[in-house]
Amino acid sequence: MTEIPEHLLKRSQARKGGGDAAAAAAAPATTPAVAASAAPAVAAAKAEVVPAGPPPPKPDIPVVAAYKARKKIPVWAMITLSILPLWLFMYVLALKPIAAKASGPLGEGLKVYSNCGSCHGAGGEGIGSAYAFTNGSVIATFPHIEDQLRWVKLGSAEYVSAGVQIPGDPNREGGPHIAGASGGVMPAAGKGLGLSDLEILEVVCHERYDLGGAEQGTEEFELWCSPEAPAYLALETGEATFDDVHTVIADKGIIEIGSVPVAGTTAE
Ligand code: HEC
């Protein structure tokens, strides 16, 4: 609302009440004065009026009005919702199967040994014609792990038919073990029992280091049977098999395992 300055109001009232004559008489005298005085007065009035009251706010457009009138999400719900992705992440983590090879060759080998214990005994103590592994016996037969890997993979029948008599150390303390001499048959863990090269390595590590009593931390252990052993990892990733692990890891002096019976090697 624009205020009308006081003196202008008064003058307009006076005109209405004073009649035409007074107005006519006053007019010439007052007009220049009015013109002179009214202009700054109006300007002053304007200057006064503008800051006096802020303009009425424009009504919101419908979208904004709807936004302002919306139902707000309660704080507890916002907190709950914001935690949801974290919860989902933990849920997925919990669902993921534990890495299969977390326990390394020895832990895995213990599981694979369920294929062997019925003949060799749960603790590798030996039953009947199936030799014991304990008290260093299996290490004496196979000073080099490669010869044992080959033997376990191929089994006794292949050695006998190939005419390879001694799968391990010919100078074995207490006499060499001769293929077929025990009177029993050692099944081929590869073709016969269907174990992979990796599983055969795992069970052989278990036989040597858990049952046979070989000392861990040796060069052989670090190359084949520790969880970070390069030969074990090469087999695990499929980079190598028994046929080529000696060339895949070329600088470690690995004896060729291969896929046919070969006479075993001496301790040195
Ligand atoms: C059916 C019974 C049987 C099963 C199952 C069996 N073995 Fe044998 N194992 C034998 C017999 C019998 C011999 C001796 C063979 C011979 O005289 O030629 C033998 C010999 C061995 C030897 C040689 C030990 C030494 O000091 O001369 C090793 C090593 C061996 N087995 C490992 C295994 C592994 C590893 C498994 C499981 C994957 C396994 N065996 C499963 C019966 C078995």
Side-chain angles (χ1 to χ4, degrees):
M1 257 248 268
T2 308
E3 270 177 52
I4 299 166
E6 192 84 330
H7 67 279
L8 292 177
L9 265 178
K10 275 187 189 155
R11 192 155 48 214
S12 113
Q13 278 163 0
R15 264 190 213 154
K16 280 181 192 157
D20 289 345
T30 55
T31 303
V34 167
S37 68
V42 168
K46 268 191 192 158
E48 262 171 47
V49 166
V50 173
K58 276 191 207 162
D60 291 326
I61 59 169
V63 180
V64 176
Y67 169 74
K68 285 183 180 167
R70 79 198 189 284
K71 265 184 112 176
K72 302 221 168 51
I73 301 168
V75 173
W76 64 263
M78 301 234 298
I79 293 170
T80 310
L81 285 173
S82 64
I83 292 171
L84 212 64
L86 182 71
W87 173 83
L88 192 76
F89 178 70
M90 284 161 57
Y91 180 75
V92 169
L93 268 190
L95 279 185
K96 238 179 71 178
I98 294 159
K101 302 297 179 187
S103 53
L106 294 184
E108 294 304 312
L110 175 63
K111 298 177 200 164
V112 181
Y113 191 72
S114 61
N115 292 283
C116 323
S118 58
C119 291
H120 289 279
E125 65 277 14
I127 304 171
S129 56
Y131 295 112
F133 305 129
T134 46
N135 298 320
S137 176
V138 74
I139 308 299
T141 308
F142 301 104
H144 295 114
I145 191 172
E146 296 94 326
D147 291 332
Q148 186 181 348
L149 293 168
R150 189 187 308 111
W151 163 262
V152 169
K153 177 166 180 173
L154 300 177
S156 59
E158 277 215 45
Y159 276 75
V160 170
S161 67
V164 178
Q165 286 199 313
I166 304 174
D169 186 356
N171 304 329
R172 184 186 193 280
E173 221 188 297
H177 282 182
I178 313 280
S182 73
V185 173
M186 161 72 198
K191 281 186 202 146
L193 302 176
L195 299 183
S196 67
D197 287 359
L198 177 66
E199 289 169 318
I200 292 170
L201 171 62
E202 288 165 347
V203 76
V204 164
C205 286
H206 174 64
E207 284 176 351
R208 293 171 78 81
Y209 291 95
D210 287 334
L211 305 178
E215 200 185 315
Q216 296 189 14
T218 57
E219 218 174 290
E220 178 194 283
F221 182 81
E222 297 303 337
L223 178 57
W224 294 95
C225 297
S226 90
E228 299 87 29
Y232 164 67
L233 293 177
L235 290 170
E236 200 207 7
T237 57
E239 267 174 85
T241 65
F242 283 178
D243 287 336
D244 61 6
V245 65
H246 64 291
T247 57
V248 170
I249 302 172
D251 58 339
K252 300 288 185 189
I254 293 174
I255 298 168
E256 183 173 351
I257 300 166
S259 50
V260 292
V262 174
T265 48
T266 57
E268 291 312 318

